[in-house]
Amino acid sequence: MEDPGVPNYVRIFDTTLRDGEQSPGAAMNIDEKVEIARELQEMGVDVIEAGFPISSPGDFKAVQRISQELRECTVCGLTRARPQDIDVAAEALQGAARPRIHTGLGVSDVHIQYKLRTTREEALETAVKAVKHARKYVDDVEYYAEDAGRADPAYLYQVLNAVIAAGATVVNIPDTTGYSTPAEFGALIAGIRDEVANIDKAIISVHCHNDLGLATANCLAGVLNGARQVEVTVNGIGERAGNTAMEEVVMAIKTRRDTFGIDTRIDPRRFYSVSRLVSEITGIPVQPNKAIVGANAFAHSSGIHQDGVLKERTTYEIINPRDVGAPDSAIVLSARSGRHGLRHRLEELGYELGEEEFERVYGRFLEVADKKKTVDTRDLEAIVADEVGMFFQETYHLEQVQVTCGNMSIPTATVRITGPEGQTFCDADRGTGPVDAVYRAINRVIGEPNQLTEFSVQAVTEGIDAVGRVTVRIQAAEPINGALRRVFSGHGADNDIVVASAKAYMFALNRLIAARREAQGR
Ligand code: KIV
Ligand code: ZN
């Protein structure tokens, strides 16, 4: 199939903005579409289907804006096999550096008979006319043989031969209803390569829907049999059960290069952020167990798995989360977690317990885990405080904190802190906001170099008088007992969020100082 002049890689045709937008409730405005399109271009997508220009003025404008803005990838507009659709698409694509018109018609008998109410012969004629019409405007014309998955292969071959002869550069073989199985779909693509005499003049594209949960498998079967373009969406969104998910296909091809022997031009490190962007804009959440980009895709819950992953990540992970831009693997503590996972999490939080203390904490942890689905940081801190007590001496005590801030003043904080020998320190500083000012003032007194790596605020009670709970994590800037960047967490609660922030920071700092003193034998 491949012409020696045509590079052999799998082209990624993204239809998030067209088929993806057909997901119920996923409508996007023009600016949102442009934002997603820019990200898709950045990650190396070859073709962006930006919309169906005749369908609405909004779609027309989206295709027009994206055509004007994106200079690297091909921008494509969808049409039915009707001259007016094609004229409007050509107009919307006018500014594109690489315009493509995507036109087509049903090829299955059920579509020809009930939807188009025509005959195979007439449908074939319409198809050829549409491609010729589109070629008057652009050199790149893709033809979709709608419902190819349920069509008579002999008729499909005839249509493909005719549209390629009429000038189609890409032929799209959609499994529109997600009906095919991987073996069947692979055989269909192999059949096209064997039976369509002029197939070497076009690229075969596959477009699989997920009604039976087989979209990714079918799409990959297409690639194995010679398809060199795949039509996908971010997170697999789309009509009914959705389209093939881009991240799944690309990572399968990459991870199993031994099987596919081919590559794409995508930078997978952008998958996670693009997935979140599309989810936020469309309002369609990503299911937690979604492959590659789900919140649980790199989370380990059972003790056996946690033990394995902590010893060597590849025991239970075939993809490094960083390769797809996801947060590092997570150890989720539950009733199924073991000692290794718990100790790891405690150490992450800055708790280094002796054997006996650890066993006590582990026993309590199991009791709590039996009652709750997952045991979070706050639970763990409560368990440790209960079982082991305040195992660090509070070196510095926050007596008073006062801030001035507002839209007309520079946030300024004053703190009064009692030191280890009972002496009182008072200092003040300015910051970008009230919390920043407080942290700077505390740092001026205590002078323990560290980096704030996490800051989160939660309302513990409801309403305007809610108690706010602040959790912080800080990283020691200097090694402690040879260990680099040790992390210490702290939390504080108060009706005043700035005071809660100060308490949380003091908590974490005191723990850091206690660990350093212990390491120095003081
Ligand atoms: O599923 C399908 O057949 C389509 C075509 C319009 C390409 O989305
Ligand atoms: Zn589709």
Side-chain angles (χ1 to χ4, degrees):
M1 185 206 112
E2 296 286 340
D3 182 296
V6 180
N8 191 21
Y9 68 96
V10 177
R11 286 126 189 103
I12 301 298
F13 175 114
D14 182 276
T15 183
T16 306
L17 304 180
R18 199 277 298 170
D19 220 342
E21 203 200 24
Q22 290 175 216
S23 306
M28 303 170 231
N29 66 34
I30 297 175
D31 289 335
E32 291 167 340
K33 287 186 179 177
V34 173
E35 190 183 351
I36 292 175
R38 282 196 205 115
E39 288 300 313
L40 294 172
Q41 174 170 272
E42 263 324 287
M43 76 192 295
V45 161
D46 299 279
V47 186
I48 295 180
E49 185 161 57
F52 182 5
I54 204 171
S55 68
S56 73
D59 254 41
F60 182 91
K61 284 199 198 106
V63 175
Q64 196 172 43
R65 277 249 333 255
I66 292 169
S67 298
Q68 285 159 357
E69 275 210 27
L70 302 195
R71 303 329 281 163
E72 278 150 43
C73 54
T74 296
V75 179
C76 172
L78 184 79
T79 81
R80 291 165 295 186
R82 295 184 185 176
Q84 203 201 346
D85 280 33
I86 295 168
D87 297 340
V88 173
E91 196 189 329
L93 288 165
Q94 244 169 22
R98 300 161 204 262
R100 175 183 292 182
I101 292 177
H102 188 192
T103 191
L105 198 63
V107 286
S108 65
D109 286 332
V110 63
H111 273 226
I112 292 172
Q113 198 180 333
Y114 297 112
K115 189 178 117 174
L116 305 172
R117 297 180 197 276
T118 184
T119 60
R120 285 185 177 190
E121 294 69 31
E122 271 180 17
L124 180 59
E125 221 175 282
T126 307
V128 168
K129 278 191 190 148
V131 171
K132 286 190 174 156
H133 191 63
R135 279 300 300 255
K136 288 185 205 152
Y137 291 112
V138 291
D139 292 335
D140 191 2
V141 173
E142 173 167 341
Y143 186 81
Y144 63 86
E146 193 177 8
D147 204 18
R150 291 190 297 169
D152 168 7
Y155 177 64
L156 174 66
Y157 303 152
Q158 204 187 338
V159 171
L160 296 180
N161 201 304
V163 295
I164 294 170
T169 44
V170 181
V171 284
N172 177 9
I173 316 300
D175 182 25
T176 304
T177 55
Y179 178 73
S180 303
T181 64
E184 279 165 7
F185 198 69
L188 182 66
I189 305 303
I192 290 168
R193 291 186 65 193
D194 291 342
E195 304 296 333
V196 178
N198 54 2
I199 195 67
D200 59 323
K201 308 250 173 349
I203 287 172
I204 301 177
S205 184
V206 287
H207 176 116
C208 299
H209 278 268
N210 203 30
D211 299 64
L212 293 174
L214 294 173
T216 298
N218 285 341
C219 173
L220 292 170
V223 171
L224 281 175
N225 284 281
R228 288 296 173 264
Q229 177 177 284
V230 292
E231 308 204 354
V232 293
T233 61
V234 173
N235 298 335
I237 62 169
E239 279 280 355
R240 307 182 307 281
N243 286 66
T244 312
M246 183 201 310
E247 59 280 2
E248 293 178 12
V249 173
V250 171
M251 289 316 290
I253 290 176
K254 211 174 180 55
T255 309
R256 296 306 308 274
R257 209 171 191 289
D258 56 330
T259 295
F260 294 98
I262 198 158
D263 218 336
T264 69
R265 289 180 170 170
I266 297 291
D267 176 357
R269 287 169 305 178
R270 293 181 174 259
F271 278 147
Y272 193 79
S273 59
V274 172
S275 161
R276 272 17 184 203
L277 177 70
V278 169
S279 172
E280 265 166 39
I281 288 178
T282 59
I284 301 178
V286 180
Q287 73 191 65
N289 59 324
K290 169 82 185 60
I292 320 296
V293 290
N296 291 347
F298 302 100
H300 304 275
S301 170
S302 91
I304 296 172
H305 289 213
Q306 291 176 349
D307 182 52
V309 163
L310 290 172
K311 285 174 176 152
E312 166 56 40
R313 190 187 57 76
T314 55
T315 52
Y316 286 99
E317 277 180 5
I318 57 167
I319 295 168
N320 186 332
R322 289 181 186 194
D323 291 348
V324 294
D328 282 346
S329 321
I331 298 294
V332 179
L333 294 178
S334 69
R336 287 162 305 285
S337 303
R339 287 180 169 76
H340 197 167
L342 177 64
R343 195 179 272 287
H344 173 81
R345 185 79 187 114
L346 288 171
E347 280 171 11
E348 268 187 350
L349 294 172
Y351 296 109
E352 276 182 16
L353 307 185
E355 267 319 304
E356 197 229 326
E357 283 170 335
F358 176 77
E359 283 307 317
R360 283 209 315 270
V361 168
Y362 183 59
R364 270 292 293 287
F365 160 76
L366 288 180
E367 279 170 30
V368 175
D370 268 339
K371 293 190 193 108
K372 289 190 75 189
K373 281 187 185 177
T374 58
V375 180
D376 61 22
T377 305
R378 222 189 306 164
D379 299 323
L380 275 186
E381 282 177 344
I383 294 172
V384 173
D386 243 29
E387 286 300 320
V388 186
M390 292 281 279
F391 66 100
F392 66 88
Q393 284 280 316
E394 192 189 41
T395 312
Y396 291 94
H397 183 71
L398 181 71
E399 296 289 350
Q400 198 181 321
V401 52
Q402 191 184 329
V403 289
T404 48
C405 59
N407 64 347
M408 302 295 282
S409 62
I410 299 170
T412 309
T414 309
V415 293
R416 199 168 73 211
I417 291 172
T418 318
E421 268 92 48
Q423 65 279 52
T424 301
F425 301 99
C426 242
D427 216 325
D429 208 342
R430 294 185 295 195
T432 51
V435 175
D436 185 47
V438 170
Y439 285 17
R440 284 170 186 271
I442 293 173
N443 284 341
R444 284 175 68 94
V445 172
I446 298 182
E448 175 65 49
N450 72 87
Q451 201 194 345
L452 183 71
T453 57
E454 198 178 306
F455 177 87
S456 65
V457 188
Q458 246 187 326
V460 179
T461 52
E462 279 176 16
I464 195 75
D465 56 350
V467 172
R469 185 181 181 95
V470 174
T471 305
V472 298
R473 289 178 80 180
I474 60 172
Q475 215 169 48
E478 283 160 13
I480 297 177
N481 234 355
L484 287 172
R485 291 189 285 277
R486 269 192 59 185
V487 175
F488 299 87
S489 65
H491 48 77
D494 201 280
N495 287 97
D496 184 325
I497 214 68
V498 177
V499 176
S501 306
K503 284 182 182 171
Y505 190 50
M506 288 296 294
F507 192 127
L509 270 178
N510 272 312
R511 288 184 54 204
L512 192 167
I513 292 165
R516 187 179 302 296
R517 291 183 142 204
E518 196 184 309
Q520 290 163 349
R522 288 197 273 142

